[in-house]
Amino acid sequence: MKELRTRAQRANLTKLLFALIKNSKRSDRELARALQLSQPTVTRLRKILEKEAIEQYTAIPNLSYLGFDLISFTFSTTKELVNPLEDKGKKWTAEQPSVMFASTGQGMDADAVMVSVHKDYADFAKFYQNFRRDWGGSLQNFRTFLVSVKGSVLLKALSPNCLVESYAKE
């Protein structure tokens, strides 16, 4: 958020952002009523947020409903610096429809992480073979952690709504 905004403007932007995280389908009129702001103010604030803070509006689907059974977390360590591999990584992940997220990072003796979804173990095995073929020469090691969408004990669903419950009160 731009520093030139007043404390009240920043607070209203934050409140609106949390309201949109909780339910982005609400109209500006409904949001204005809930936030005790005017509808034109909410519309103006939403435009600011869409330019500065909202990457996209999206639904969070039930993966098993879509036919996916596995989520794979792949942690890898590169043999060389990550930066020279950045273009290759962006191109490769863009070509993989099952990859939901990939980034550099630190921890667990790894410097990169990838999250992918798979219909079943056979689909994962094919993906994993391609990953090893395409990246084996550039990686020192890689490890996967598989989660069965249908068979694991789900302790908390992946959702940004926890942000609303935890941080909206601050």
Side-chain angles (χ1 to χ4, degrees):
M1 289 186 228
K2 293 184 180 172
E3 295 302 315
L4 300 175
R5 296 199 175 101
T6 66
R7 178 177 280 162
Q9 287 170 321
R10 288 192 310 267
N12 286 337
L13 283 165
T14 302
K15 283 194 294 188
L16 177 58
L17 183 56
F18 282 127
L20 289 167
I21 290 170
K22 193 168 185 175
N23 182 356
S24 64
K25 295 191 302 183
R26 294 167 77 182
S27 70
D28 287 357
R29 179 170 291 159
E30 290 174 299
L31 291 163
R33 204 174 349 204
L35 299 174
Q36 299 178 346
L37 298 169
S38 71
Q39 183 269 316
T41 297
V42 168
T43 300
R44 182 176 47 77
L45 293 174
R46 183 195 288 257
K47 286 180 183 173
I48 292 169
L49 289 173
E50 287 173 346
K51 192 182 294 184
E52 297 177 10
I54 297 174
E55 293 193 26
Q56 64 179 312
Y57 292 100
T58 188
I60 300 172
N62 177 325
L63 292 174
S64 64
Y65 182 85
L66 295 174
F68 296 103
D69 182 38
L70 293 175
I71 301 173
S72 170
F73 296 84
T74 303
F75 301 92
S76 55
T77 307
T78 56
K79 289 181 180 176
E80 54 194 89
L81 294 175
V82 173
N83 292 350
L85 298 173
E86 185 176 343
D87 290 338
K88 178 183 175 185
K90 284 180 180 179
K91 184 178 184 302
W92 190 87
T93 56
E95 294 170 354
Q96 308 301 316
S98 62
V99 175
M100 296 178 65
F101 176 80
S103 180
T104 60
Q106 295 176 333
M108 297 178 57
D109 295 322
D111 56 18
V113 63
M114 178 175 57
V115 179
S116 56
V117 294
H118 306 279
K119 301 269 183 198
D120 52 30
Y121 189 79
D123 181 46
F124 165 75
K126 181 179 176 187
F127 173 83
Y128 190 68
Q129 286 173 349
N130 291 337
F131 175 74
R132 289 180 59 192
R133 180 196 67 219
D134 296 343
W135 286 95
S138 301
L139 301 178
Q140 185 173 333
N141 65 43
F142 44 91
R143 296 168 309 287
T144 60
F145 184 89
L146 296 178
V147 176
S148 171
V149 173
K150 298 173 187 168
S152 297
V153 176
L154 181 63
L155 303 174
K156 185 173 185 177
L158 176 66
S159 170
N161 283 338
C162 66
L163 299 175
V164 175
E165 296 154 10
S166 300
Y167 299 104
K169 297 172 183 109
E170 291 181 359

